[in-house]
Amino acid sequence: MDVIEQLKAMNAKRILLQIPDGLKPSAFRLFNMFSKDFNVIISSQGFYGACDIGNREIYDNVDCIVQFGHSEIPNIKYPKPVIFIEYRNDVIELDESIFYDLKKYNTIGLLSSIQYYDEMLYVSDILKRLGIKTVIGKTDKRMKYPGQVLGCNFSAVHSSALDVDAFLVVSTGMFHAIGAQLASDKDVYLLDLNERRIKNIKNDVDLFIRRRYLRISRALDARKFCVLMDTKIGQYRRRLAEHIYRELLSLGKDAILVTADNVNPYDIENLRCDAVVFTGCPRVSLDDEEKFSVPVLTPQEFKSLFIKRSNKYIMDEIVSVD
Amino acid sequence: MDVIEQLKAMNAKRILLQIPDGLKPSAFRLFNMFSKDFNVIISSQGFYGACDIGNREIYDNVDCIVQFGHSEIPNIKYPKPVIFIEYRNDVIELDESIFYDLKKYNTIGLLSSIQYYDEMLYVSDILKRLGIKTVIGKTDKRMKYPGQVLGCNFSAVHSSALDVDAFLVVSTGMFHAIGAQLASDKDVYLLDLNERRIKNIKNDVDLFIRRRYLRISRALDARKFCVLMDTKIGQYRRRLAEHIYRELLSLGKDAILVTADNVNPYDIENLRCDAVVFTGCPRVSLDDEEKFSVPVLTPQEFKSLFIKRSNKYIMDEIVSVD
C-alpha cells in the first residue's frame, strides 16, 4: 500500500517528514506532494535512522511521522505511528570472477545494511551458482530483516557464527565490515560496491584496534568521568549509564551522569572532564573520535579497560533500550 | 527557602540540572552537591534561558528541573516543575557624575536583564538623588519583574513610553539597548557596566537597521521560502508560522513549513531555499546572520518587507507561545 493511502487509512491530518540529508534537496517537492492531502512539517535536522524519529517536542502536534531511508527497529516502542519508507539501492550487476577467492569456503554468511539488501540477495544467487552455500543469519528483535546489520547491531553474525566458514559484508564503507569482524573469529570479507571487489579486512581491523587502544588508553589515568547518555528514543540506555556510573565510583573515580541530544565536543569541553563513557550510538565514539579532546569510550571499551581487563576488543552493540 | 529544601518539599527523587556554559566548569561540584540527596542528571547542552528547559525526551525521567541563571517566564506552561535559580551580578558602585548627561530629563525609564537587576535598582537610587524621577515599567505576562527585558520582549518599554522622557538600559552589550530603542521613539541610553559610562545609542541603531535591511532585502527576489519554527517550549509559535506560510503562498512563493531544535546553517543549506522566516528566538536571525548563506528574517521583517511595506523597523517580540 502506498504511503498516502496508509496515512489516509490511519486518518492522519498532520504529519512530520524526516528526510535524510542526501534527499533534502527534494524537500520542497516532497512537502508539496504530501501537502495535497495533509498538513505537513519537514524536520530540518539530520537523524541517525529508525533509532531517532526526531525531537519529542513535535510529537504532540503530528499524527504520524514518515521517515525516509531506514527500516524500522522492531523492539523500539514508538510513541507515535511511524511509517518507514526504506531506501534500497538499485542492484549493480557484478562479474562472477570477483567472488573466486571465496570458493575455498563451503558456506558464506551474508550481511548488509538496508540500502544494499537487494544487492545482498543478488550476491547470494551468484555464490550459489559458484557452488558456495549461503546463510543469511537470524537477527534479534532490534532488526527487521535476516542478515541485516546496523553499526550497533551484529546479531546476524552471532546467530550464524557456527554455521558458516566466513562472512561477506555487502556495503561501501569499512564500518560494518569492521563490526562484523569484531563480532566473529571467522574470516570476514567486504564486497565494496564502489570498487567492485572483495577484500579480506583482517588488516584493517588490526589497525582499527591499535588506533582505538592508543586513544582509549589515555582514559586509564583519568580522574573525572562524564557518563553520557543520548536521549534519542532508540539509543537511550539510562540503566546502563547508571551502572557504569556506580562502577566508576567504586573505582574511586569522580563521575557525573550527563544527558545530551547530539552530543558535541564544545559541550563536553565545558564540563572539564578527563574522559567520557558514551552510551548512545557507538559511531559517536568510533567515527568522531578526533573531534573530541578527551577519550570517548563505548561501554564495552570502559568494561575492558577498567572492569575485566581483556585483550579481545568487543564492539558495543545495542540490543535493547530503556 | 533553599533549593534542596524546595526539592525535598516536592518529594523529588530524580532531577535534571541545567547549567549555563559559563558555570559548566562547576558541573562536577554541583552534581556531587545535589547527589547527596537526589538522583541527578546534568544536561550537557547549552540553553537559551527559561524559554528552553531542555529536551522533552528527558522530562518523563525526572521529577524536577533546576535551571541556573535565568528567571521564570510566567506565561509558559512548564510540563514539569522547574526551579529557577536566578543569577544576579554583584552591584558595581558607580560615580554619580556618569549620569550628569541625564539631568536634562525629568523622568527616566529604567530597564535591565535579570543579571543586572540589582544594579538597576542601585542606579535608580542614584538618579533620584540627582533629582531625576525613575519609572520601572510594567511588563507583560512573559516577564517576571517590572523593568525586566529579554531579547524577545520589551513590554517594559511599551508600558512606560508615555510616562518617561528617555530610557536607560543597564547592561553590558548593545543588544537590549538596540531592542529598547526600536521599541520606542524616546531617547535611549545604555549604561555599559564594562565601560562604566552611558551612551546614547541612536547611531548604533541606525547602523543596525541599515545593515539589517541590506541583508533582508536579498529576500525580495526569493522564490523558495522555509518557514522555520523552533520546538523549544518557550519559542514555539506554530500558528504564526502557519500564518506566514499561507501569506507566502498567496504571494505566489513556494514555501515549506520546517521544524528544528537549534537550527543550524548546514541543515538550512541542505534544504536549498532562497530565504528563511524564523519564528523562534529573534537572536538567531539578528545575531547569527553571518552564519547563514541565505537571509533569515524575523516575522516582523517578513511583514514589513512583503505585507505592509514600512520604513519603520520593528523588533520581533514574543508575547505568547502556542
Side-chain angles (χ1 to χ4, degrees), chain A residues 14 31-32 41-42 44-45 55-57 60-61 231 236 238 245 254 257-261 266-267, chain B residues 14 21 31-32 41-42 44-45 55-57 60-61 231 236 238 254 257-261 266-267:
Chain A
R14 298 184 147 195
F31 183 95
N32 291 330
I41 304 177
I42 283 184
S44 67
Q45 295 173 264
N55 169 303
R56 190 164 294 179
E57 266 72 3
D60 292 340
N61 299 298
T231 50
Y236 185 66
R238 178 161 176 162
Y245 166 72
D254 194 1
L257 274 167
V258 177
T259 183
D261 176 47
Y266 172 79
D267 289 340
Chain B
R14 299 184 145 194
D21 284 353
F31 183 96
N32 290 331
I41 304 177
I42 284 185
S44 66
Q45 296 174 261
N55 169 305
R56 188 165 294 178
E57 267 71 2
D60 292 340
N61 299 298
T231 51
Y236 186 65
R238 177 163 177 160
D254 195 3
L257 274 167
V258 176
T259 182
D261 177 46
Y266 173 80
D267 289 340

Side-chain angles (χ1 to χ4, degrees), chain B residues 14-53:
Chain B
R14 299 184 145 194
I15 63 171
L16 173 72
L17 304 185
Q18 276 188 297
I19 304 173
D21 284 353
L23 280 179
K24 284 258 173 67
S26 305
F28 278 76
R29 186 178 59 73
L30 290 168
F31 183 96
N32 290 331
M33 189 178 91
F34 282 93
S35 280
K36 294 192 184 93
D37 297 291
F38 310 99
N39 207 315
V40 186
I41 304 177
I42 284 185
S43 170
S44 66
Q45 296 174 261
F47 55 99
Y48 281 69
C51 60
D52 178 13
I53 57 163

Side-chain angles (χ1 to χ4, degrees), chain A residues 31-38 40:
Chain A
F31 183 95
N32 291 330
M33 189 178 90
F34 282 92
S35 281
K36 293 192 184 94
D37 296 292
F38 311 99
V40 187

